[in-house]
Amino acid sequence: MIDAPLGVVDLLAIGVVAGGSLIAAVGGRRYRRLRAVTRRAVETTGTINRVTIQRVNGSGGSQSYVPVVDYEYRTPTERRDGTTVYPGNSRFAKQFGTESAAETVVADYEPDTQTTVYYDPDEPAHAFLIAEPQTAQAITTVVIGLTVLLGGGVLFMA
């Protein structure tokens, strides 16, 4: 064992490895959570109330579009309202680069019609219409975390 003190580069490498590990863990947790919610989702019937496309202004003047469907559905114990199209924490789970792409997603949803709604029996307020988990952001977070972690490993070896 070498009894040399840790240098600035060593401390930086440790911090980068820890940060990369944390980022990768957050992305992995998000990915597993989305997959689990989709797997345990229960089907019910809902009624479409309103269909819109919401424009989201990003940094630097960028814009994206989110399909929004207001619907109501019933669990075995209560009536609930939902707006989420895809599984995730919010209706912003999937954003589209063009308004027409977002409109394509909701083209089949008409007000005052019945549709299938999926909800999480562990958290009935978490409902969605399309049971496809949007995992691209979670996977990107894992890849970024692993890249940072590897960068810290390279620093540590230097």
Side-chain angles (χ1 to χ4, degrees):
M1 179 172 200
I2 301 174
D3 289 327
L6 292 175
V8 173
V9 173
D10 295 327
L11 293 173
L12 178 63
I14 291 169
V16 171
V17 166
S21 298
L22 180 64
I23 292 168
V26 166
R29 181 174 182 257
R30 184 177 300 148
Y31 176 85
R32 285 188 310 277
R33 192 182 132 289
L34 284 170
R35 299 292 296 185
V37 164
T38 304
R39 275 194 304 273
R40 71 175 173 257
V42 175
E43 279 187 31
T44 189
T45 301
T47 303
I48 304 296
N49 294 325
R50 188 173 69 128
V51 178
T52 59
I53 303 299
Q54 181 177 352
R55 185 175 61 199
V56 179
N57 295 317
S59 60
S62 67
Q63 292 181 343
S64 60
Y65 300 87
V66 176
V68 179
V69 180
D70 293 326
Y71 53 91
E72 57 186 56
Y73 62 99
R74 288 200 64 80
T75 68
T77 59
E78 62 188 324
R79 188 196 69 76
R80 304 204 61 117
D81 295 316
T83 60
T84 307
V85 174
Y86 293 99
N89 289 333
S90 75
R91 64 180 173 208
F92 300 105
K94 184 168 185 176
Q95 298 181 19
F96 294 85
T98 65
E99 189 171 8
S100 61
E103 287 170 348
T104 301
V105 172
V106 295
D108 293 336
Y109 298 109
E110 293 290 329
D112 299 320
T113 61
Q114 301 270 309
T115 191
T116 299
V117 176
Y118 303 90
Y119 71 92
D120 181 351
D122 293 345
E123 188 181 336
H126 183 199
F128 45 92
L129 300 177
I130 300 174
E132 297 173 7
Q134 302 304 301
T135 57
Q137 185 178 15
I139 291 170
T140 300
T141 303
V142 169
V143 169
I144 290 170
L146 293 175
T147 302
V148 170
L149 183 126
L150 290 172
V154 169
L155 264 177
F156 206 54
M157 300 297 229

